[in-house]
Structures are given as C-alpha cells and as structure tokens.
Amino acid sequence: LNISPGNLYYHFRNKEDIIRSIFDLYESHLNAGFQPFKASQLNMGLLVSYFDTMFETVWKFRFMYNNLPDILSRDDELARRYQKTQKEALSRSCAILRGLRDEGILAIEDERIQPLADTMRMIACFWIDYKQTHVHKESVTKAFLYEGLLRVIMLFKTYATEQHMTIFVRLEQHYQALLNSYKTVSVEDAAIAI
C-alpha cells in the first residue's frame, strides 16, 4: 500500500481488525455471486458467472485461502464467522445444483447434491495449497486457479445429462482457453524477466 505501519494502524486497531475487515469484503463477494437462479435465467453466461465467482473469490482473497488454518486458529470469532459463511454458501450451492437438476441439466440424486457442492468448495478452498505442495517454488497465478476450475467442471460433466453435455464441453473449452492465455502470459513474463 506504500504507507507506513503507523498510518495503517491509525485506521485499524490490530492485525485481526485488518483481517476481519477483509473478511467483510469476502462475505459480501460470496453472497453477491452465489444467488439461486430463476428457470428463465439459466444460460451459458449464468453458469460462467457461477464458476467465475467461485474462482475469482479464491484469486481475490488468495492470501486468506493460502493461510486459512493459521488465520482461523488465531481468531475464534473469525473462525465462527467463516464456518457460518461457508455453511450459507454451501446451502446456496446446493440450491443451485437442485435448480440445475430440476432444469434437466444435471442427473443427480438428492443425497449426492450436498457432497458434490462440498467437494466443489473443497477444491476451490484448498486448490492453492494443493498446487503449492505439488509444484516446487512456483508462484500462485490465475493459471493455477483455472486448472482447479477445470477440475470442478470435470466433476460436473459426470452428472451432466446427455442433451446438456455440450454446455459443459463449451464451459471446459472456455476455461481451457483462459488457462492457455494465462500460461502464455506467464511464459512471456518469465522471458521478459530474464
């Protein structure tokens, strides 16, 4: 931020206060992005917006996801808020999955909806940690995140109905193109740095 610690602490009491303020933004971002849809709204753009929200949240708040267990272990109030926020996000994700099932886009039994939503959340929340523990000294990039997003789409495809499989193929192509563009940019940036 190019400001002194003294200037920063004029606005915030301590580190916990800073993190809680960032968490307020995180909650707002999640709440705005995962709203259930009406049947008439369902289209490719809406699905892209859901996937974008999922991984843009991880990108925007990556410092938090990268240190989540540590951050939550230091602040019981924040840990309770995080669990409440995640429970609400899981509930909204389940409602979205039920809507996709009711529209005939997914073929999934009721008892599998919550585990699917929870698995998507697990991939989103811990993808950065997973990648960093399996790739030596590589910085977090948007390409990292698009790899995780493609894994989530791969899960979705296993439940796609035959007549709607093309939607998920198109989603996969869309995000693969974005992944490729970020990988190209990363290679060019590395060449410039050398």
Side-chain angles (χ1 to χ4, degrees):
L1 294 175
N2 270 344
I3 63 173
S4 68
N7 212 348
L8 183 65
Y9 287 112
Y10 175 79
H11 299 283
F12 299 96
R13 292 186 307 270
N14 51 39
K15 288 179 185 176
E16 287 76 20
D17 195 27
I18 295 169
I19 291 172
R20 287 178 186 172
S21 295
I22 293 169
F23 191 80
D24 291 341
L25 297 172
Y26 168 76
E27 282 180 315
S28 297
H29 192 79
L30 272 183
N31 291 337
F34 285 111
Q35 293 301 318
F37 63 90
K38 297 182 177 96
S40 60
Q41 295 176 315
L42 186 61
N43 56 38
M44 175 83 170
L46 182 67
L47 292 174
V48 167
S49 76
Y50 284 144
F51 285 116
D52 282 351
T53 295
M54 184 187 303
F55 278 85
E56 281 175 13
T57 301
V58 175
W59 176 252
K60 188 172 185 175
F61 298 96
R62 62 191 174 277
F63 94 92
M64 191 173 78
Y65 282 105
N66 202 23
N67 300 294
L68 199 54
D70 187 47
I71 290 170
L72 296 180
S73 71
R74 295 171 188 243
D75 188 334
D76 289 340
E77 178 190 330
L78 188 64
R80 283 189 295 275
R81 281 181 63 193
Y82 176 80
Q83 289 169 355
K84 179 178 181 283
T85 298
Q86 288 298 311
K87 187 176 179 181
E88 291 167 356
L90 180 62
S91 177
R92 285 193 303 273
S93 295
C94 288
I96 291 166
L97 290 175
R98 273 188 215 93
L100 292 172
R101 191 253 337 261
D102 294 347
E103 289 295 309
I105 292 169
L106 297 180
I108 185 169
E109 301 87 5
D110 269 341
E111 63 272 10
R112 290 183 178 253
I113 288 176
Q114 184 165 340
L116 177 59
D118 200 38
T119 302
M120 290 167 24
R121 178 177 63 164
M122 182 176 54
I123 292 171
C125 290
F126 298 103
W127 184 254
I128 290 174
D129 285 342
Y130 169 77
K131 286 296 288 183
Q132 287 188 317
T133 57
H134 289 81
V135 180
H136 185 64
K137 293 187 179 181
E138 193 170 330
S139 61
V140 176
T141 64
K142 282 201 170 183
F144 258 35
L145 299 184
Y146 284 121
E147 288 176 16
L149 199 153
L150 284 164
R151 300 293 173 91
V152 171
I153 293 171
M154 183 177 69
L155 283 174
F156 262 82
K157 280 176 68 178
T158 63
Y159 293 101
T161 58
E162 193 174 326
Q163 64 268 34
H164 291 94
M165 181 61 76
T166 55
I167 292 173
F168 294 99
V169 170
R170 285 174 51 211
L171 281 168
E172 207 168 37
Q173 290 167 345
H174 170 76
Y175 287 110
Q176 187 64 53
L178 286 172
L179 170 63
N180 293 342
S181 73
Y182 278 108
K183 280 186 173 180
T184 304
V185 169
S186 298
V187 170
E188 288 170 1
D189 287 347
I192 289 168
I194 292 171

